[in-house]
Amino acid sequence: MIADGIDVSQYQGVINWELVKKHIDFAIIRCGYGQDIPGQDDRMFKRNADECTRLGIPFGIYLYSYAQNETEALSEARHVIRLIQDYKMAYPIYLDLEDPRVGRLSNEQIEKNCKVFADELQKNNYLPGFYASYYWWTTKLTGPLFSNYTRWVARYADELGENADMFDMWQYSDNGFVEGIEGPVDLDYSYRDFPTEIKEQGLNNFEKEDTTPPSMNYKVGDHVVFDHVYISSDSSIPLIPYMNHGTITRVVQNARNPYLIGNGLGWVNNESIKGSLTYLSNPTYRGDSIVDALVQIGVDASFESRRELASKNGIENYTGSARQNLEMLRLLKEGRLKQ
């Protein structure tokens, strides 16, 4: 797959993202530069991230680095995390490596700094990566660390050329035009399906998608007890029902809430169901003693057992009175005495 994107910063000014959306698949937004100092936040970051979120434009992040050591690299990672914690980002979090001060460091020191940055991002469940020119990728960022992360390359040419398989993203122009942006903008290709990977793995503030179909623990005809219901089979908003038990009349395979209760009391799932109800029945009994009727079908007829049965069937403050016993006997003969 090839996705078309742009990368932007405060230097693009106020972007009309509704126009831009018609021409791109994704955006990479600069959140700032350097260490975790609010004065070094990109002044257009929040607006750009809010607009992409509002319009459903998949986006990632980059931070311009000038870290000289591991301590400063950790601060840069925390700079990013401070700004992105409220956003869901379907593309990676990149460290932009191009500053001349960074370029004067040894390759080993650059790699150490990058490891600190990536470790801190991963610890917080973000997908890190690195951006640099083709020259930097072939002369400075050559250590084994970088093969573990997504790589974004800047090379302004008709073809990416040699070692193209190293890279997941290619910034192929710094002089593009996109409707909705005044002036030039960087243009990019992405060769990797980052949105699917990131969402499935629950990275970048996405919740991990559960692709396991719910098990079918109950069937049509089961009478169940539950503590809440849902308005539909795919709803995620629990509601308090006016009854806490009912009979399953329909089962929808693989639905979030697969069981329909009655003729529309609500939908429930395995988590909301607290157990099944069974009923005692003795339709052939002709006497008037609940004790004898229970004993006849092999059920404990002690006072404590009858008091528990009474409570389950809505007969409060059971004392063993004739009225209470006759009500239980009626339910038993009708096959509706809840056990």
Side-chain angles (χ1 to χ4, degrees), residues 74-321:
L74 180 60
S75 183
E76 291 189 342
R78 290 175 177 170
H79 188 177
V80 175
I81 292 169
R82 171 172 59 84
L83 292 172
I84 68 175
Q85 57 188 335
D86 294 328
Y87 297 101
K88 294 181 178 180
M89 297 146 294
Y91 279 79
I93 316 301
Y94 288 101
L95 189 65
D96 180 344
L97 300 166
E98 59 178 290
D99 191 272
R101 289 166 290 184
V102 177
R104 288 192 289 269
L105 300 174
S106 68
N107 288 8
E108 291 74 20
Q109 185 61 55
I110 295 173
E111 188 171 9
K112 288 179 182 178
N113 294 349
C114 288
K115 184 177 187 306
V116 169
F117 179 87
D119 285 350
E120 186 69 8
L121 267 290
Q122 286 184 313
K123 185 175 74 174
N124 287 274
N125 209 34
Y126 295 110
L127 179 65
F130 300 98
Y131 163 94
S133 68
Y134 187 83
Y135 173 77
W136 275 53
W137 278 116
T138 53
T139 61
K140 298 180 182 297
L141 311 180
T142 56
L145 170 84
F146 297 102
S147 62
N148 298 325
Y149 300 97
T150 174
R151 289 179 275 200
W152 177 18
V153 63
R155 192 177 200 188
Y156 309 138
D158 293 334
E159 295 182 356
L160 186 49
E162 190 177 357
N163 300 319
D165 291 343
M166 289 174 53
F167 307 109
D168 298 316
M169 294 229 307
W170 174 21
Q171 186 188 80
Y172 64 90
S173 174
D174 64 348
N175 195 33
F177 171 78
V178 174
E179 184 184 15
I181 300 177
E182 293 186 10
V185 64
D186 297 338
L187 303 178
D188 303 276
Y189 291 135
S190 173
Y191 302 106
R192 185 168 161 184
D193 187 1
F194 285 116
T196 297
E197 291 182 32
I198 287 171
K199 291 175 185 178
E200 286 183 349
Q201 296 176 46
L203 301 173
N204 293 6
N205 298 328
F206 285 97
E207 294 182 5
K208 188 171 184 178
E209 296 181 355
D210 185 3
T211 58
T212 305
S215 57
M216 297 291 106
N217 295 345
Y218 303 93
K219 63 184 184 301
V220 170
D222 286 350
H223 197 94
V224 293
V225 179
F226 39 83
D227 57 7
H228 55 270
V229 297
Y230 298 88
I231 196 170
S232 67
S233 62
D234 59 357
S235 172
S236 61
I237 302 174
L239 304 172
I240 302 300
Y242 65 85
M243 289 179 57
N244 71 340
H245 63 90
T247 301
I248 295 174
T249 56
R250 183 183 173 194
V251 176
V252 177
Q253 296 290 328
N254 300 331
R256 183 187 183 97
N257 315 304
Y259 313 113
L260 177 64
I261 300 299
N263 293 322
L265 176 62
W267 295 79
V268 296
N269 54 41
N270 293 331
E271 288 68 39
S272 56
I273 292 175
K274 299 309 174 187
S276 298
L277 276 180
T278 55
Y279 290 88
L280 297 175
S281 176
N282 190 352
T284 61
Y285 180 72
R286 294 292 177 261
D288 57 7
S289 169
I290 183 65
V291 172
D292 291 345
L294 290 172
V295 169
Q296 192 175 83
I297 59 174
V299 175
D300 181 4
S302 67
F303 179 82
E304 286 303 319
S305 176
R306 283 182 281 127
R307 183 163 64 178
E308 184 177 343
L309 287 173
S311 177
K312 288 181 179 179
N313 288 273
I315 302 172
E316 303 297 336
N317 302 315
Y318 180 75
T319 61
S321 69

